[in-house]
């Protein structure tokens, strides 16, 4: 018996060691990449770089139009995708019956999440830019990015809603609350951490995508900031692609500086979501 117990402990330690090693092997390249971009691009970061307009064929100046454009696209994506995605998740989780139709819808959502982003870009070009005649604009790009992020938001929000114990629903309805009152005042509040995770994952992907906005809303260079949703805009992912592949004799520090700003933009969204999620979990009652 002692021999078997000793073997079990040995296998357990080996298993934990293997998991730790895999975690380190996974994390180290990510940390190394971030540090490398920080080292290469840190020297380019300045007030002029963050608040100025590019000039001299984009070989000098700042990236303010790309920063503002990325912010506009992210906000536009959130406006269209977050309410629709959460509403769809509420319907699938709380109202829809578990039948062949709803199972087919869930399979379709999962499949949509795996479609390459360039396909979404071509779809947005055909529907929003050409058919609806929005032109190459912030509106067309935001709608395209919204369709691309919806599967992630719907799937994660539905799982978060399903994770709330059924007892919350039973007690609320037994006390006289309607189903919608139960969902809006209790279930959504308790599922908020998981919903935020899905929303931020979707918006982070939208903020870093190049292919969809390439066809629908991104401009090579603009000497001014966009004035309306029907204007084209510069964006950090596309700007980084342009200065890395299309501009000869481009200073390397500007390329890495742009990559660093995009990285900070995405990580800031993640940090904000993490803080909100942590506070919501601290107040959770289960």
């Amino acid at each position: 018996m002692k021999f078997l117990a000793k073997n079990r402990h040995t296998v357990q330690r080996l298993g934990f060691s293997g998991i730790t090693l895999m975690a380190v092997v996974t994390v180290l390249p990510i940390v190394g990449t971030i540090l490398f971009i920080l080292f290469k691009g840190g020297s380019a970061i300045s007030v002029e770089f963050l608040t100025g307009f590019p000039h001299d064929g984009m070989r000098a100046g700042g990236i303010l139009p790309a920063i503002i454009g990325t912010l506009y696209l992210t906000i536009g994506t959130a406006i269209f995708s977050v309410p629709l995605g959460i509403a769809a998740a509420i319907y699938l989780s709380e109202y829809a019956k578990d039948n062949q139709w709803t199972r087919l819808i869930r399979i379709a959502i999962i499949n949509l999440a795996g479609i390459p982003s360039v396909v979404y870009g071509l779809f947005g070009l055909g529907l929003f830019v050409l058919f609806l005649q929005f032109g190459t604009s912030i509106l067309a790009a935001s709608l395209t990015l919204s369709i691309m992020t919806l599967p992630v938001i719907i799937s994660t929000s539905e799982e978060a809603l399903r994770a709330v114990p059924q007892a919350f629903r039973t007690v609320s309805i037994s006390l006289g609350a309607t189903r919608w009152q139960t969902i809006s005042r209790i279930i959504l509040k308790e599922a908020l951490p998981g919903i935020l995770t899905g929303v931020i994952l979707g918006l982070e992907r939208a903020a870093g995508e190049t292919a969809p906005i390439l066809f629908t809303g991104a401009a090579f260079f603009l000497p001014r900031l966009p004035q309306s949703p029907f204007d084209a805009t510069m964006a950090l992912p596309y700007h980084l692609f342009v200065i890395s592949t299309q501009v000869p004799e481009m200073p390397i520090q500007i390329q890495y500086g742009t990559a660093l700003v995009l990285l900070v933009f995405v990580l800031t969204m993640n940090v904000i979501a993490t803080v909100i999620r942590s506070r919501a979990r601290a107040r959770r009652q289960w």
Side-chain angles (χ1 to χ4, degrees), residues 268-286:
T268 300
M269 293 173 57
N270 210 334
V271 169
I272 293 173
T274 301
V275 171
I276 297 174
R277 187 167 61 243
S278 298
R279 291 183 177 180
R281 282 177 176 171
R283 294 193 299 266
R284 199 158 62 180
Q285 301 174 4
W286 52 280

Side-chain angles (χ1 to χ4, degrees), residues 8-36:
R8 284 199 297 268
H9 287 302
T10 302
V11 172
Q12 183 177 349
R13 285 196 298 269
L14 288 174
F16 283 140
S17 299
I19 293 172
T20 303
L21 179 62
M22 286 187 288
V24 171
V25 169
T26 302
V27 171
L28 276 180
I30 299 174
V31 175
T33 301
I34 294 174
L35 292 177
F36 182 77

Side-chain angles (χ1 to χ4, degrees), residues 60-128:
I63 58 171
L64 178 64
I67 296 174
I68 298 299
T70 303
L71 184 62
Y72 284 167
L73 291 174
T74 305
I75 293 174
T77 302
I79 289 173
F80 292 116
S81 64
V82 174
L84 185 58
I86 295 177
I90 290 173
Y91 172 76
L92 290 173
S93 174
E94 305 296 327
Y95 289 100
K97 297 180 179 179
D98 187 14
N99 53 32
Q100 186 176 358
W101 174 243
T102 55
R103 287 194 292 270
L104 184 62
I105 291 175
R106 290 189 177 96
I107 292 173
I109 291 172
I110 294 172
N111 289 333
L112 285 173
I115 293 177
S117 59
V118 66
V119 177
Y120 284 106
L122 291 172
F123 174 80
L125 173 65
L127 177 60
F128 302 121

Side-chain angles (χ1 to χ4, degrees), residues 32 47-48 149 156 181 229 235 269:
V47 175
E48 179 185 1
T149 58
T156 53
Q181 287 174 330
M269 293 173 57

Side-chain angles (χ1 to χ4, degrees), residues 52-269:
F53 285 75
H55 56 82
D56 192 22
M58 293 193 287
R59 298 182 185 88
I63 58 171
L64 178 64
I67 296 174
I68 298 299
T70 303
L71 184 62
Y72 284 167
L73 291 174
T74 305
I75 293 174
T77 302
I79 289 173
F80 292 116
S81 64
V82 174
L84 185 58
I86 295 177
I90 290 173
Y91 172 76
L92 290 173
S93 174
E94 305 296 327
Y95 289 100
K97 297 180 179 179
D98 187 14
N99 53 32
Q100 186 176 358
W101 174 243
T102 55
R103 287 194 292 270
L104 184 62
I105 291 175
R106 290 189 177 96
I107 292 173
I109 291 172
I110 294 172
N111 289 333
L112 285 173
I115 293 177
S117 59
V118 66
V119 177
Y120 284 106
L122 291 172
F123 174 80
L125 173 65
L127 177 60
F128 302 121
V129 177
L130 301 177
F131 182 74
L132 296 179
Q133 297 183 355
F134 292 156
T136 303
S137 62
I138 296 174
L139 179 60
S142 297
L143 288 169
T144 303
L145 292 172
S146 299
I147 295 175
M148 187 186 69
T149 58
L150 271 175
V152 176
I153 295 176
I154 293 173
S155 298
T156 53
S157 298
E158 184 186 1
E159 290 301 320
L161 291 167
R162 287 177 172 273
V164 178
Q166 187 64 31
F168 283 79
R169 300 170 178 83
T170 304
V171 172
S172 177
I173 293 175
S174 68
L175 292 174
T178 63
R179 175 178 286 189
W180 174 244
Q181 287 174 330
T182 301
I183 294 170
S184 60
R185 298 182 184 181
I186 298 176
I187 305 303
L188 280 176
K189 181 180 177 181
E190 298 298 326
L192 181 62
I195 292 174
L196 276 176
T197 300
V199 169
I200 295 301
L201 284 174
L203 294 181
E204 283 180 355
R205 182 187 178 190
E209 284 290 349
T210 303
I213 63 174
L214 171 67
F215 296 108
T216 56
F220 186 88
F221 170 72
L222 287 175
R224 58 178 177 80
L225 297 177
Q227 304 298 314
S228 79
F230 293 97
D231 289 344
T233 184
M234 296 178 69
L236 285 170
Y238 183 60
H239 183 66
L240 180 59
F241 167 76
V242 167
I243 63 177
S244 299
T245 61
Q246 307 296 319
V247 181
E249 300 179 4
M250 187 71 196
I252 193 69
Q253 65 269 21
I254 293 182
Q255 299 178 27
Y256 280 104
T258 305
L260 179 59
V261 172
L262 178 59
L263 185 64
V264 170
F265 185 89
V266 173
L267 290 179
T268 300
M269 293 173 57

